[in-house]
Amino acid sequence: MDRKQCCVKLSVQPSRGLMDEKFIVLVQNVFPGFQLTLHALHKCEDGHSWEAFAHYTTSAIGAVNVSEDPSLGGTYSGVEPMGLLWSLRPVPGSKPWLRMRKMNVQTPMEVTISVYPGHQTEGFLDQVPLASVVVERWYMAPGVRRIPVTEAGLTATLFLPPGPGPFPGLLDLWGGGGKLVEYRSALLASHGFASLALDYLTPKVTIETGKMVDNQYFERALKVLEQHPQILSSRIAMIGLSLGTSITLKMAVNSQVVKLRCVVCISGSHVQPADGSVEQIMSFFNKNAEKTCFNNENHMICRDLLLPIPTDPSLKVDMGQLQCPLLLVVGEDDQNWPAHESALDIKEMMERAGNSHLLTLLSYPDTGHLIEPPFTPFAKASSFRAVSSRQKLVALWGGETAAHSRAQEDSWRKTLVFLRANLYGGVNTCLTSFSNL
C-alpha cells in the first residue's frame, strides 16, 4: 500500500479500561479486499516482551472490525474480539517457559496495537506500521484503594472499592508458589468487593521464624476483614486457587471464628488431612511425591499426587458439613491437580449429605490449571519453584489456548454473578469505570 494514497485509521475503544473489559478494534480507510496484519506488543515489568498477531482481509468498505470479522490466521483464528490479548506469547528468542503476571497493580498493562500491510508472521519490530494505538488495561479501577496490612502478623494487601461502603469482604488465596499476589484482589475490588490478598506460604513471620503459619493465621485474616469499619461483617467470603482451595474449603467447613457467606474454589481439591495445618497438608502431598511424572519435554505433572481420590474420610474435608454456597471452577485437562475428579467426589459427598443445592460446578473441557481473570495470556507450561522444595522446574498446567481463554472469560463472569448474588443479595453496586472518564 502506498502511504501517500491511503492514511489508515486505527481505533481501539475503550483504549483505557479494566483488564476484564472488552475493547473494539477498528481499522478504517483501507482499500477493499486489502490484506493486513494486526499486531499487539506488550513489555512486561520483568523486561520480557510478548506479542500476538492476526491476519485479516478488509471488507467492501475497506474496514476490519475485530469484534465481527474473522482472523484468517496468526496466534488466533476466527472471530475473537479479545484475541490480541489472550493469545499474547513471548516474542521469538525469549527465555523459555515464561508466564505473564502483573506484579505492580498500580500501573497499567500497556499494549501497543499496530497495523501492518500483508499477512505477516515475523519481523514486525523492523518495520514502520501503517498505524498504532497504545491501549491501557488496569486491574485497579479509579478510586480503588490499596492498603498494605501487617496487623495481626499478616503479610497482606487490602483493596477497598471506591466510595464509603460498607462492602462485602473477600479473603483471596493463591497457590503453591507463595508470594503476595495482588492482581485478582485489585480486580475484585474494582467490582465492588473489599478483597484481602494474603501471603500464607512466604509471609514475613515465616521468613523470620522458619515456621509455616498455622490455621489461626487465616482466622486472623478473616477477623481483619470482619472488623474493618468499611466491610460488612456478616458478608465475608473466600476465594482460592490451587493450594488456596485446600485452605478455603477447610475454613469454610471448620472455622468457628467467621461464618463464611460463600466460597469460590478454582482448580483445587478437598483431599488433605482433614484437621491438618498448612505444614501437614504440604507433608501429605510430599509423601506422594513418587507419583509425580514427567512428559517427553520434561514437564512436571503433579495431578496423580492425590489420585485415586481417597475413600478414607480422614483424608479429605467433610464437604457434607458445608453450610454456605460453593462455586467450583475446574479445567478437565488440569495436569497439576486432579481438580475435575475432586469436584465429582465433592458433588457426590454433598449429594449424600443432602446439601448439594449449595454447589455450583463449572467444568471446562480442554482447560488447564491456571484459570485466571479474563484475557490473561495462556500458559500451557511455565517455570515454577515450589515453596516446599525450592527446586525450579517446568510445570505442565494443561489446556488449549482458545478453549482455556474462553473458560477464563466465562468463569470470571459467572464468579462475579455468584459473588454479587451471595454477598450483595441482588443489590447492584455503582462504581466508576474507565469508560466514564
Side-chain angles (χ1 to χ4, degrees), residues 329-341:
V329 180
V330 301
E332 295 175 18
D333 189 41
D334 190 332
Q335 297 300 310
N336 192 251
W337 282 76
H340 185 244
E341 293 87 344

Side-chain angles (χ1 to χ4, degrees), residues 10 14 17 42 69 82 89 202 209-210 281 291 389 401 437:
L10 171 64
H42 169 64
D69 300 329
M82 299 301 291
R89 64 188 189 185
T202 53
T209 66
I281 292 173
K291 293 184 178 181
S389 67
T401 306
L437 292 182

Side-chain angles (χ1 to χ4, degrees), residues 121-271:
T121 60
E122 60 186 2
F124 296 102
L125 301 186
D126 297 326
Q127 305 176 54
V128 177
L130 299 174
S132 291
V133 171
V134 177
V135 176
E136 290 184 1
R137 304 330 268 174
W138 291 77
Y139 285 95
M140 287 178 65
V144 170
R145 288 156 288 170
R146 178 186 177 276
I147 306 168
V149 175
T150 57
E151 62 184 281
L154 303 178
T155 297
T157 305
L158 176 63
F159 292 88
L160 288 175
F167 311 102
L170 272 169
L171 180 58
D172 183 6
L173 305 181
W174 282 81
K179 301 182 181 179
L180 185 56
V181 183
E182 298 182 348
Y183 55 91
R184 185 170 61 193
S185 284
L187 195 53
L188 286 165
S190 299
H191 287 280
F193 306 100
S195 187
L196 184 70
L198 182 69
D199 182 356
Y200 60 96
L201 288 177
T202 53
K204 183 179 179 182
V205 63
T206 295
I207 293 172
E208 290 178 346
T209 66
K211 297 180 180 178
M212 301 193 82
V213 302
D214 54 23
N215 290 335
Q216 285 68 46
Y217 184 80
F218 305 99
E219 304 272 14
R220 294 198 300 273
L222 288 168
K223 293 299 286 185
V224 165
L225 284 171
E226 186 184 50
Q227 295 171 0
H228 195 283
Q230 289 179 275
I231 294 178
L232 294 162
S233 61
S234 63
R235 295 179 181 239
I236 306 293
M238 287 182 68
I239 180 169
L241 170 80
S242 192
L243 181 60
T245 284
S246 303
I247 308 301
T248 297
L249 291 175
K250 180 191 297 290
M251 299 300 294
V253 170
N254 298 333
S255 177
Q256 301 299 312
V257 174
V258 176
K259 183 177 175 59
L260 295 173
R261 189 81 170 213
C262 64
V263 291
V264 177
C265 292
I266 306 165
S267 303
S269 178
H270 60 316
V271 177

